[in-house]
């Protein structure tokens, strides 16, 4: 166990060093001007929208620095720029100035445009108290517009909806830390039953069960130790991903790491079957006994290490709350608030685990034959966790057969154990249920062999690899007047597979995606081209779905992060197609 702890700490130290961030830095990160103010534009009818998104709470743009004498090429007439309400900011050099923080959208009525006209706008901003950028220019090309009065369509552009993750990122800019912590603890509790957190239940139950009969206080202490290990790992990995990019998350979910974790859980399961006793040397146990008030040697150290490892199990699941924190950290560089929020989210995820582990100390049977049976069942549960790990690497018929064999073995073992008990209606009930479980496992295995067809094979994905591929396919779709959906996928991403099996094949979703061009980029290998594609769109986790209009504009506010069921996803596609 000491060796496991040492290896894990070395891994985290190495990744931490690569991430190259510091909790001690107080000054904001200074970004290049094109990264500090992300520019976008869109035209609907005779209304042109120019949009800027500031990548940090201290960045702002001056209202009076937008160039009203817009340079125009081609046959075009423009109306007056329509400004949103500014904020009055006290500038050390210029006094009170009307400025825009966070984001700003300017609307310009297009009175007439012909012959591929283009418009150039100039703007200027500052990083509060640090520096001011020189004037910057952006050029946009207009669609042809017939002569008009410039009013009707300008008011018809609906406000772009804010995605859940962007809304949560914006929430972190507030000052009410207690409200942020409570909110993310609650969101963590909602995530406690997601596919990536579920493996932790058999892990923790196995650990508690392996300790023998425990008091409620001891069970609570062990459970809290486990949850703390999980929360610390989850928090550190989140900060690494937000600060250094998704390539580190992908590296930790590589086949080598996942197979290693699977082997570890199989080895641990053998101790539950009595193959060996997992314990520290007697001399070290005695020292720990004195240090831990006669607690069982190595319990807390081993449980904490298992919690650290379990944080790796949960790390591939990207959800809207997690993405909100990652977006905030990536844009603001505020690692302290990001770390506190990630820890709150982790503790919310750990609360059900804490309740399960604490109750286990009271509900587990006393030592005896049944206790041995329970320990063996925990061994099966540890093997189930190993299969979950391997399912990210080798999905398909082989894993389905492995699950079938696991189910047959578990049901058979419990049937044999049940035969040794005294006759009662409970014994009959258990026999019936276990027989059904055995038959179900056999049926599952036969179905995997006889019906290897995957419903996802019918999905009309066009597979791309590079940014050039994406640009080519988007341009091709635009020429056909179609919107585009890009699915960023990886084999190690559990929620990506849920999308493919539970959402994309559903008729109400297919009805809408059939009108779109569906692209998929498999970034499992995490090579240079994959990283370039992910970083081009600031992707911080998977699954992520990007949407492009028939004009080739990415609808960043409608980006989807994390699994979405068929019905709400169909409604989301309606919003995308309406753009």
């Amino acid at each position: 166990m000491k060796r496991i702890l040492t290896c894990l700490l070395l891994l985290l130290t190495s990744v931490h060093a690569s991430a190259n961030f510091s909790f001690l830095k107080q000054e904001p990160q200074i970004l290049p001007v094109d990264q500090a103010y992300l520019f976008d534009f869109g035209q609907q009818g005779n209304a042109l929208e120019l949009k800027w998104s500031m990548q940090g709470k201290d960045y702002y743009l001056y209202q009076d620095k937008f160039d009203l004498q817009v340079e125009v090429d081609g046959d075009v007439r423009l109306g007056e720029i329509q400004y949103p309400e500014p904020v009055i900011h006290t500038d050390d050099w210029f006094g009170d100035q009307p400025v825009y923080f966070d984001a700003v959208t300017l609307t310009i009525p297009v009175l007439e445009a012909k012959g591929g006209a283009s418009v150039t706008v100039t703007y200027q901003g500052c990083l509060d108290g640090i520096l001011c950028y020189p004037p910057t220019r952006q050029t946009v090309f207009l669609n042809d517009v017939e002569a008009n009065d410039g009013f009707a369509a300008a008011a018809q552009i609906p406000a772009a909806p804010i995605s859940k993750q962007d809304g949560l990122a914006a929430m972190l800019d507030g000052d009410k830390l207690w409200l942020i912590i409570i909110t993310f603890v609650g969101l963590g509790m909602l995530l406690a039953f997601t596919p990536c957190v579920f493996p932790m239940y058999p892990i923790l139950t196995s650990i508690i069960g392996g300790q023998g009969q425990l008091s409620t206080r001891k069970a609570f202490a062990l459970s809290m130790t486990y949850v703390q290990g999980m929360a610390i790992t989850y928090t550190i990995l989140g900060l690494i991903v937000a600060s250094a990019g998704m390539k580190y998350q992908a590296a930790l979910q590589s086949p080598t790491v996942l197979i290693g974790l699977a082997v570890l859980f199989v080895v641990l399961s053998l101790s539950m079957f009595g193959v060996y006793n997992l314990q520290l040397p007697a001399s070290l146990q005695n020292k720990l006994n004195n240090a831990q008030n006669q607690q069982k040697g190595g319990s807390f150290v081993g449980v904490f290490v298992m919690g650290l490892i379990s944080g790796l199990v949960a790390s591939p699941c990207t959800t809207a709350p997690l993405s909100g924190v990652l977006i905030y950290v990536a844009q603001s560089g505020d690692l302290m608030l990001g770390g506190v929020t990630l820890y709150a989210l982790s503790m919310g995820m750990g609360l059900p685990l804490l309740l399960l582990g604490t109750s286990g100390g009271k509900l587990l049977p006393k030592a005896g034959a049944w206790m041995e049976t329970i320990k063996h069942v925990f061994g099966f549960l540890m093997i189930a966790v190993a299969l979950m790990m391997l399912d990210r690497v080798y999905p398909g018929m082989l894993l389905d057969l492995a699950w079938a064999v696991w189910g047959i073995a578990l049901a058979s073992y419990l049937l044999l154990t049940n035969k040794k008990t005294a006759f009662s209606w409970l014994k009959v009930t258990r026999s019936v249920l276990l027989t059904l479980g055995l038959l179900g496992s056999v049926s599952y295995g036969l179905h995997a062999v006889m019906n290897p067809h995957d419903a996802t094979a019918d999905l009309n994905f066009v597979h791309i690899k590079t940014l050039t591929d994406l640009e080519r396919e988007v341009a091709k779709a635009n020429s056909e007047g179609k919107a585009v959906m890009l699915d960023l996928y990886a084999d190690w991403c559990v929620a990506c597979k849920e999308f493919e099996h539970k959402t994309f094949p559903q008729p109400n979703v297919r009805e809408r995606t059939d009108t779109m061009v569906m692209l998929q980029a498999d970034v499992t290998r995490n090579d240079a081209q994959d990283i370039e594609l992910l970083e081009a769109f600031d992707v911080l986790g998977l699954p992520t779905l990007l949407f492009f209009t028939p004009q080739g504009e990415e609808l960043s506010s409608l980006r989807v992060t994390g699994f979405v069921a068929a019905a709400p996803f169909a409604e989301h596609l309606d919003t995308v197609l309406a753009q």
Side-chain angles (χ1 to χ4, degrees):
M1 191 61 70
K2 182 178 179 181
R3 184 175 298 174
I4 296 174
L5 176 59
T6 302
C7 292
L8 183 61
L9 290 176
L10 287 175
L11 171 63
L12 292 176
T13 302
S14 173
V15 178
H16 176 275
S18 300
N20 193 27
F21 61 76
S22 172
F23 288 95
L24 302 178
K25 291 184 179 180
Q26 298 297 322
E27 66 274 7
Q29 181 184 8
I30 299 176
L31 300 173
V33 64
D34 58 338
Q35 296 180 22
Y37 309 101
L38 297 183
F39 176 72
D40 196 5
F41 70 94
Q43 181 182 351
Q44 181 173 331
N46 71 328
L48 172 64
E49 283 193 341
L50 306 177
K51 309 172 186 178
W52 289 265
S53 176
M54 290 57 139
Q55 301 305 292
K57 61 183 179 181
D58 295 321
Y59 290 91
Y60 59 85
L61 288 172
Y62 291 104
Q63 183 189 60
D64 60 1
K65 298 300 182 182
F66 290 107
D67 189 356
L68 297 178
Q69 300 299 319
V70 185
E71 297 181 16
V72 178
D73 294 327
D75 188 4
V76 62
R77 292 187 301 115
L78 302 178
E80 293 292 329
I81 296 178
Q82 300 175 10
Y83 295 97
E85 189 69 24
V87 174
I88 302 301
H89 176 67
T90 301
D91 191 293
D92 291 339
W93 300 102
F94 302 110
D96 291 344
Q97 294 287 324
V99 302
Y100 298 104
F101 287 92
D102 299 327
V104 61
T105 299
L106 307 183
T107 302
I108 305 175
V110 182
L111 305 181
E112 186 177 9
K114 295 180 181 178
S118 64
V119 176
T120 301
V121 60
T122 303
Y123 56 93
Q124 185 175 11
C126 295
L127 174 56
D128 193 17
I130 305 296
L131 60 81
C132 286
Y133 294 94
T136 306
R137 297 156 62 92
Q138 294 284 354
T139 300
V140 300
F141 292 88
L142 302 177
N143 299 327
D144 289 353
V145 176
E146 295 296 328
N148 62 89
D149 57 15
F151 291 100
Q156 294 177 359
I157 298 180
I162 300 177
S163 65
K164 185 181 296 184
Q165 56 267 20
D166 287 333
L168 290 170
M171 174 188 173
L172 293 174
D173 273 329
D175 296 326
K176 297 181 178 179
L177 180 61
W178 63 270
L179 180 60
I180 292 172
I181 292 176
I182 292 174
T183 299
F184 277 86
V185 168
L187 291 171
M189 293 177 65
L190 295 177
L191 300 178
F193 302 98
T194 57
C196 285
V197 182
F198 178 75
M200 296 185 190
Y201 291 94
I203 295 173
L204 178 59
T205 307
S206 301
I207 292 171
I208 300 299
Q211 304 295 323
Q213 187 66 20
L214 299 175
S215 65
T216 301
R217 179 179 297 180
K218 179 67 177 293
F220 173 81
L222 287 172
S223 301
M224 178 59 79
T225 302
Y226 175 85
V227 170
Q228 290 301 309
M230 179 207 77
I232 290 172
T233 302
Y234 200 69
T235 300
I236 292 174
L237 290 179
L239 292 176
I240 290 171
V241 171
S243 302
M246 213 193 82
K247 53 182 175 290
Y248 291 98
Q249 182 196 31
L252 290 171
Q253 296 301 319
S254 66
T256 302
V257 174
L258 291 174
I259 293 173
L261 287 174
V263 171
L264 173 62
F265 287 126
V266 171
V267 171
L268 291 173
S269 73
L270 296 179
S271 69
M272 296 295 174
F273 293 119
V275 176
Y276 68 93
N277 290 323
L278 183 62
Q279 60 182 10
L280 294 174
S283 59
L284 185 55
Q285 285 190 36
N286 292 332
K287 293 180 181 179
L288 290 173
N289 282 340
N290 296 329
Q292 298 179 14
N293 298 321
Q294 305 304 314
Q295 297 285 357
K296 182 179 179 180
S299 295
F300 290 100
V301 175
V303 170
F304 183 75
V305 172
M306 286 305 301
L308 291 174
I309 295 173
S310 297
L312 299 177
V313 175
S315 64
C317 274
T318 303
T319 59
L322 177 58
S323 286
V325 181
L326 299 185
I327 290 170
Y328 173 79
V329 175
Q331 293 180 353
S332 70
D334 190 343
L335 297 175
M336 191 61 70
L337 179 58
V340 170
T341 308
L342 281 166
Y343 181 78
L345 184 71
S346 303
M347 288 304 298
M349 294 165 57
L351 281 179
L353 292 165
L354 191 60
L355 293 174
L356 174 67
T358 302
S359 64
K362 181 183 293 185
L363 300 178
L364 288 175
K366 294 181 180 180
W370 266 108
M371 191 63 235
E372 288 301 308
T373 301
I374 293 295
K375 287 184 64 174
H376 294 161
V377 170
F378 290 157
F380 280 105
L381 292 178
M382 297 293 276
I383 293 175
V385 175
L387 292 178
M388 291 177 186
M389 297 294 99
L390 293 176
D391 192 42
R392 300 177 190 172
V393 185
Y394 304 111
M397 186 182 69
L398 289 178
L399 254 294
D400 288 341
L401 286 175
W403 278 112
V405 171
W406 177 86
I408 292 170
L410 176 59
S412 300
Y413 168 75
L414 293 177
L415 278 171
L416 291 174
T417 303
N418 191 48
K419 278 187 176 183
K420 301 176 183 179
T421 61
F423 179 80
S424 67
W425 67 271
L426 283 176
K427 178 177 181 178
V428 174
T429 302
R430 289 195 297 265
S431 297
V432 172
L433 293 177
L434 291 172
T435 301
L436 291 175
L438 178 63
L439 294 175
S441 298
V442 172
S443 175
Y444 185 82
L446 291 175
H447 183 271
V449 174
M450 302 300 294
N451 299 280
H453 175 71
D454 188 351
T456 62
D458 294 332
L459 298 176
N460 298 319
F461 277 119
V462 176
H463 295 276
I464 66 167
K465 179 65 178 176
T466 66
L467 272 174
T468 302
D469 295 339
L470 174 62
E471 293 168 358
R472 181 188 67 246
E473 294 299 331
V474 170
K476 181 180 177 181
N478 295 162
S479 67
E480 299 172 357
K482 292 184 177 181
V484 176
M485 181 188 82
L486 171 60
D487 173 29
L488 295 168
Y489 168 91
D491 287 341
W492 47 261
C493 170
V494 176
C496 296
K497 297 176 183 178
E498 284 193 302
F499 257 120
E500 288 202 342
H501 290 273
K502 298 180 181 180
T503 299
F504 293 151
Q506 298 305 313
N508 57 341
V509 174
R510 292 293 297 270
E511 179 182 353
R512 292 158 174 81
T513 56
D514 284 347
T515 66
M516 310 171 67
V517 173
M518 296 176 64
L519 307 180
Q520 186 177 72
D522 187 343
V523 296
T524 303
R525 293 178 58 189
N526 194 42
D527 56 24
Q529 293 175 322
D530 295 338
I531 293 173
E532 181 186 19
L533 181 62
L534 295 171
E535 292 184 346
F537 294 97
D538 296 321
V539 176
L540 295 173
L542 300 182
T544 293
L545 304 180
L546 309 181
F547 299 94
F548 300 83
T549 67
Q551 292 76 40
E553 177 187 357
E554 198 238 323
L555 299 169
S556 57
S557 63
L558 295 180
R559 183 179 295 191
V560 170
T561 301
F563 174 72
V564 180
F569 187 67
E571 295 178 2
H572 186 81
L573 290 178
D574 287 336
T575 304
V576 171
L577 293 171
Q579 301 301 307

